[in-house]
Amino acid sequence: AQSVAQPEDQVNVAEGNPLTVKCTYSVSGNPYLFWYVQYPNRGLQFLLKYITGDNLVKGSYGFEAEFNKSQTSFHLKKPSALVSDSALYFCAVRPETTDKLIFGTGTRLQVFP
Amino acid sequence: EAQVTQNPRYLITVTGKKLTVTCSQNMNHEYMSWYRQDPGLGLRQIYYSMNVEVTDKGDVPEGYKVSRKEKRNFPLILESPSPNQTSLYFCASSSLLAGGGLTQYFGPGTRLLVL
């Protein structure tokens, strides 16, 4: 079955330190990959996507993600975390042959001052 | 402003009382979708639509209906709500233009409690 895994329910990081939120996937073919962020009492906001081309994708708010085909991963990264980055982050995958997004279960990022 | 709107934002109802959650987008998107968000389960797709009069089941369609009579609107209908449909619901829309990959834009959510 096609799936997306976010292995960490929560990630804690100190402000100013680098952060990584992990995502791995299991789909056939060449997937499209996405990261979304959800702030409290808000809808999901698009952060970045990988469709094709350069494996390192840059997105909103200084976030970036690296597509690794051999490890089937698409980890979200930021060089220096801000307290305002604290939110719920979702990884999503669109399998090549479908018109649907498969979401991970989400990772709560907590950035401490 | 480009946006997806949902109404109502909060709804408390009783088992069996039919309800409709409206969704509207002003971006002329072909694709629209409904999701439910539950703790520990992430987002699960209920129904989606590729264009007017074209709808298809997602992963958890049981107990829900949708219609797509106009491009901008995609209402979610619960004919006979049950407590297991208590959840946070999101509508989303997307362009089907090549290169977009189906990047979806989400509404603010509707929190539903079924007693």
Side-chain angles (χ1 to χ4, degrees):
Chain A
Q2 303 186 107
S3 62
V4 178
Q6 293 182 243
E8 301 151 318
D9 290 335
Q10 180 152 332
V11 170
N12 300 316
V13 64
E15 188 173 34
N17 283 1
L19 69 88
T20 298
V21 182
K22 296 179 181 177
C23 173
T24 59
Y25 62 90
S26 175
V27 301
S28 55
N30 297 311
Y32 301 149
L33 299 154
F34 302 82
W35 276 101
Y36 286 85
V37 59
Q38 184 180 29
Y39 298 103
N41 300 313
R42 302 285 296 274
L44 277 72
Q45 295 179 31
F46 169 74
L47 269 183
L48 51 80
K49 66 183 176 186
Y50 173 82
I51 304 296
T52 186
D54 193 349
N55 289 346
L56 184 63
V57 178
K58 294 187 185 297
S60 307
Y61 313 123
F63 284 93
E64 58 189 29
E66 185 166 13
F67 170 59
N68 188 317
K69 188 171 184 177
S70 63
Q71 297 186 4
T72 61
S73 67
F74 189 57
H75 301 331
L76 181 70
K77 300 182 180 185
K78 187 173 183 180
S80 179
L82 299 173
V83 172
S84 57
D85 292 330
S86 298
L88 186 57
Y89 291 80
F90 288 97
C91 180
V93 175
R94 177 192 174 190
E96 188 177 21
T97 55
T98 76
D99 296 309
K100 297 165 61 172
L101 283 190
I102 303 170
F103 283 83
T105 53
T107 298
R108 187 163 301 281
L109 173 66
Q110 191 72 43
V111 182
F112 295 95
Chain B
E1 180 190 354
Q3 61 182 349
V4 179
T5 57
Q6 295 178 228
N7 282 292
R9 294 288 313 278
Y10 304 92
L11 180 58
I12 301 174
T13 190
V14 295
T15 299
K17 185 176 182 182
K18 180 180 178 179
L19 67 91
T20 299
V21 184
T22 64
C23 173
S24 183
Q25 51 94 4
N26 62 2
M27 294 170 279
N28 201 36
H29 285 166
E30 298 86 3
Y31 184 102
M32 297 186 74
S33 180
W34 277 101
Y35 297 89
R36 60 179 288 174
Q37 182 181 7
D38 301 290
L41 297 177
L43 272 77
R44 293 178 293 168
Q45 191 176 45
I46 302 170
Y47 269 95
Y48 66 100
S49 169
M50 300 290 285
N51 216 325
V52 175
E53 301 293 359
V54 180
T55 63
D56 212 341
K57 295 178 180 178
D59 297 317
V60 288
E62 294 78 20
Y64 304 95
K65 286 176 57 177
V66 293
S67 68
R68 188 89 183 272
K69 294 185 172 63
E70 304 165 289
K71 195 172 186 179
R72 64 182 293 127
N73 296 323
F74 191 46
L76 179 69
I77 303 157
L78 284 70
E79 294 268 2
S80 182
S82 62
N84 65 13
Q85 293 179 296
T86 293
S87 188
L88 179 57
Y89 291 87
F90 288 103
C91 181
S93 73
S94 173
S95 168
L96 290 178
L97 288 175
L102 209 68
T103 304
Q104 296 192 26
Y105 297 89
F106 285 80
T110 295
R111 191 169 290 280
L112 172 65
L113 173 61
V114 183
L115 300 174

